[in-house]
Amino acid sequence: MKRMTSTAIAPAQMTPALPVSLNGVGRSFPGAPGEPERLVLRDVELKIAPGEIVALLGPSGCGKSTLLRQISGLDRPTSGTLTIDGTRIAAADQRCAVAFQEPRLLPWRTVARNIELGLPRGTDRAVGRARVAQLLELVQLSHAADLKPRQISGGMAQRVSLARALARNPGVLLLDEPFGALDALTRLTMQDLLVDIHRAEPTTIVLVTHDVDEALTLADRIVLLGTRFDRPGATISRILEVPGTRPRDRASTVLARLRAQLLDALGVPSHHDR
Amino acid sequence: MSFDERGGAPVSRPSTTEGREAASREPADGERANAGRRVTLFGWAGFEGFSAAGTGLGRGGAGRVSVGTVLLGLVVPGVLLLVWLLASELTPIPDYLLPSPAQVVGAGVELANQGLLGTYILISLQRVLLGFAIGASIGLALGAVVGLSGVADRMLAPTLGAIRAVPSLAWLPLLTVFLGIFETPKITLIAIGAAFPVYTTVSAALRHVDPHLVEAGRAFGLGRLALLTTVQLPAVVPSVISGLRLALAQAWLFLVAAELLASSMGLGFLLTDSANNGRTDRIFLAILLLAILGKTSDALVGLGERALLKRWS
């Protein structure tokens, strides 16, 4: 218990943020018997700098999550290569950590024990406990450490999921619409929390979202995925730099203009008065 | 094999009511439902044969068993006892067909004084517990292999299904020839009986562990073994428990089968021996003992199950 106070050791043991590179990544899935295979992603070229926050934005079903799964190593591309820090991504690459769309907590474990699952294999017990306590504080759940997942709200469960992903000090943090299922207010709070977390532990973050405002609030760059009408398979249709430093003014006029552009690109009328 | 006649905790016989409730907690697939129906092949411990009213022990979070519930459950046995008493006293049915409750108690005291009653109960308990422990372990291992590996599933499931379809008594002559007439064939038979309910429930449950949780485990660096112990096995704990309860019921069934045909001790032996000697009072005694042992122990297992499930969800 004495070591719980050692919050200061965390940055020293921290894995540095790692760069990610996607070279001509494509993924197709076998079709139903007798049907041709289905191309979901094609020709994705992207370089992500260490410590950068990149939002993958696109309409539902365009392959955002599939792309994220390629980076995590949970799925393999059918063409192209992906590297983290210059080396090929392994199956379930341990330099990454994923927070899924659903919290995916083990229902029989307490909040603290769920976060423990995210620690690197073979972490010293005392070190692990200190890290979990620190993360609970970071996601403001110290009071809920001993609760079971069924006893906490959806927003809390997502924070647990986030803390679990952070537990290993990942070189790359992958977030698959982590706040998608939350109510609008909780989502804003969670976005601010993520900004704080990134400042405290500045890792590389790839965030899948279909929420334009979320992308604008959080990302350094927004990568738009889309499908051309004449070709199957989604690819990067645009990359936008988001100006300004976080935390950003949600009502900024610069962002309002970008929002309009993004919505246009997504095929939604923005009704923006230019 | 050790032959220590001190038995362990009481074991359950007809745990089928709880078994059904446990099964209905999770989406039962065909395999699972089969696991239940299978039992009916062996006679009286069928799923459908027991009242669904039950005790509510298997229902997670159904609350405590109140004194009222227990009293209500004792009404029918009380009435039956009364009817039995009246029938034996007031009707002309001779004692050798229908002994009175007092005669049955007397038979018990007589056997106890000869030092046989305790021996019989303990030897039966020992066989059930040993056979159950061995069979359940094998069932757990087989269920894990078949439930986790698609190849093993396709390769082993048909064979295991066929072995499972062999009625219990069919094994007995072969086991006697192979293993003799002492403890080994009986315990083997009980192990065979106990293995299948566990195998079926565990393999079916493992196949249906939330793939999202498994993927999350994989993403956080769990290898096959760690995934099994950290995610998959804990996820199937409720199913394992219901499988174990079914296995216990099966163990008692197979015990009586084994003891009826080839033994010189135990409650099943008491049944055949008494039938050969026309001791209806002892037959009544043995049946009552089986019922009481089974129900009492089942209630205990149910309490354990409830405590475990509470911790587990």
Side-chain angles (χ1 to χ4, degrees):
Chain A
M1 280 289 139
K2 259 178 277 164
R3 296 185 206 206
M4 299 253 300
T5 52
S6 58
T7 320
I9 58 165
Q13 51 168 264
M14 202 129 111
T15 314
L18 298 174
V20 181
S21 166
L22 288 72
N23 313 302
V25 171
R27 177 73 167 103
S28 52
F29 292 94
E35 285 184 27
E37 57 179 23
R38 204 160 46 86
L39 185 64
V40 172
L41 287 171
R42 62 172 178 87
D43 309 323
V44 178
E45 294 279 347
L46 185 63
K47 297 230 180 306
I48 302 170
E52 190 181 15
I53 302 184
V54 167
L56 300 177
L57 188 67
S60 283
C62 75
K64 307 183 294 283
S65 295
T66 307
L67 186 56
L68 198 76
R69 288 170 57 79
Q70 312 302 317
I71 305 175
S72 67
L74 287 174
D75 192 26
R76 307 224 126 214
T78 36
S79 60
T81 56
L82 297 100
T83 60
I84 290 180
D85 198 21
T87 54
R88 283 278 197 113
I89 285 169
D93 201 295
Q94 291 306 292
R95 294 168 294 180
C96 300
V98 194
F100 300 94
Q101 205 166 345
E102 325 76 23
R104 301 196 187 183
L105 305 178
L106 303 179
W108 54 88
R109 284 195 173 198
T110 62
V111 162
R113 296 264 296 131
N114 262 292
I115 295 176
E116 235 171 67
L117 188 72
L119 293 168
R121 298 301 107 209
T123 303
D124 176 75
R125 264 177 180 275
V127 173
R129 218 171 302 138
R131 176 70 178 146
V132 170
Q134 179 194 16
L135 286 164
L136 280 167
E137 206 164 308
L138 191 64
V139 297
Q140 297 150 27
L141 282 175
S142 299
H143 61 284
D146 295 324
L147 296 181
K148 295 280 179 68
R150 71 183 143 86
Q151 297 170 304
I152 61 178
S153 70
M156 289 164 87
Q158 276 303 2
R159 278 185 274 161
V160 177
S161 163
L162 197 56
R164 179 179 61 181
L166 288 165
R168 56 188 43 218
N169 297 307
V172 183
L173 177 62
L174 304 169
L175 307 175
D176 188 0
E177 292 192 39
F179 316 136
L182 304 179
D183 67 86
L185 280 177
T186 311
R187 196 181 311 161
L188 295 184
T189 320
M190 293 288 287
Q191 289 166 3
D192 287 344
L193 178 70
L194 188 63
V195 170
D196 291 343
I197 287 174
H198 187 253
R199 198 166 33 204
E201 309 193 347
T203 184
T204 311
I205 298 181
V206 184
L207 166 87
V208 161
T209 181
H210 52 225
D211 179 344
V212 171
D213 288 305
E214 185 165 281
L216 287 168
T217 308
L218 296 174
D220 295 306
R221 277 192 301 163
I222 297 176
V223 172
L224 257 173
L225 288 180
T227 313
R228 269 172 49 179
F229 70 95
D230 57 343
R231 277 191 74 169
T235 189
I236 296 175
S237 58
R238 258 176 107 169
I239 298 181
L240 278 117
E241 303 260 350
V242 186
T245 50
R246 288 174 293 264
R248 297 195 176 103
D249 176 5
R250 293 187 206 271
S252 137
T253 49
V254 184
L255 293 192
R257 212 170 305 126
L258 272 177
R259 180 179 305 120
Q261 284 180 29
L262 285 166
L263 287 173
D264 277 347
L266 288 166
V268 183
S270 62
H271 311 295
H272 185 65
D273 187 13
R274 277 169 236 218
Chain B
M1 196 159 294
S2 81
F3 195 72
D4 178 1
E5 293 206 341
R6 277 167 301 157
V11 197
S12 111
R13 188 183 34 124
S15 70
T16 48
T17 305
E18 271 74 38
R20 170 151 64 173
E21 281 163 10
S24 66
R25 266 198 304 276
E26 302 206 348
D29 66 339
E31 193 70 59
R32 190 70 180 283
N34 268 336
R37 226 167 285 125
R38 178 91 263 133
V39 185
T40 61
L41 260 191
F42 303 100
W44 43 262
F47 258 10
E48 316 305 332
F50 277 78
S51 150
T55 57
L57 277 177
R59 241 173 263 130
R64 308 176 73 89
V65 181
S66 67
V67 179
T69 309
V70 173
L71 287 178
L72 207 58
L74 287 174
V75 167
V76 174
V79 169
L80 283 177
L81 185 66
L82 198 67
V83 169
W84 177 16
L85 192 67
L86 292 175
S88 65
E89 297 297 330
L90 302 178
T91 61
I93 304 174
D95 280 352
Y96 66 83
L97 284 184
L98 184 67
S100 70
Q103 284 169 326
V104 171
V105 172
V109 172
E110 183 197 346
L111 278 174
N113 286 338
Q114 293 169 13
L116 289 176
L117 191 64
T119 312
Y120 285 0
I121 291 176
L122 289 179
I123 194 73
S124 288
L125 270 176
Q126 176 183 277
R127 286 166 182 159
V128 162
L129 289 179
L130 272 177
F132 168 73
I134 296 167
S137 310
I138 294 171
L140 200 62
L142 284 175
V145 170
V146 169
L148 291 171
S149 150
V151 176
D153 184 16
R154 271 163 290 169
M155 202 170 90
L156 297 177
T159 312
L160 288 171
I163 296 175
R164 196 182 58 182
V166 177
S168 58
L169 293 180
W171 293 111
L172 206 55
L174 189 65
L175 290 176
T176 313
V177 170
F178 280 2
L179 302 171
I181 54 164
F182 296 110
E183 291 305 288
T184 324
K186 296 183 189 68
I187 289 167
T188 308
L189 184 73
I190 295 165
I192 292 173
F196 283 110
V198 180
Y199 155 72
T200 326
T201 42
V202 170
S203 61
L206 275 174
R207 255 180 247 130
H208 294 96
V209 173
D210 184 356
H212 275 166
L213 288 185
V214 175
E215 189 185 58
R218 214 158 66 79
F220 288 108
L222 299 181
R224 272 192 97 109
L225 189 65
L227 207 54
L228 182 68
T229 56
T230 316
V231 180
Q232 287 156 313
L233 282 184
V236 300
V237 160
S239 312
V240 172
I241 296 171
S242 66
L244 288 178
R245 297 191 74 178
L246 284 169
L248 268 174
Q250 287 275 71
W252 277 98
L253 267 171
F254 279 56
L255 167 89
V256 174
E259 287 184 345
L260 273 176
L261 292 187
S263 70
S264 54
M265 274 193 283
L267 293 172
F269 168 71
L270 182 60
L271 282 169
T272 32
D273 190 46
S274 310
N276 293 338
N277 296 315
R279 293 292 301 264
T280 327
D281 50 347
R282 288 187 178 178
I283 298 181
F284 270 70
L285 178 72
I287 290 172
L288 279 175
L289 280 174
L290 284 170
I292 292 168
L293 272 177
K295 183 56 208 162
T296 310
S297 54
D298 185 50
L300 288 175
V301 176
L303 287 177
E305 175 183 13
R306 247 186 351 159
L308 195 63
L309 288 184
K310 210 164 165 186
R311 235 189 55 126
W312 222 257
S313 54

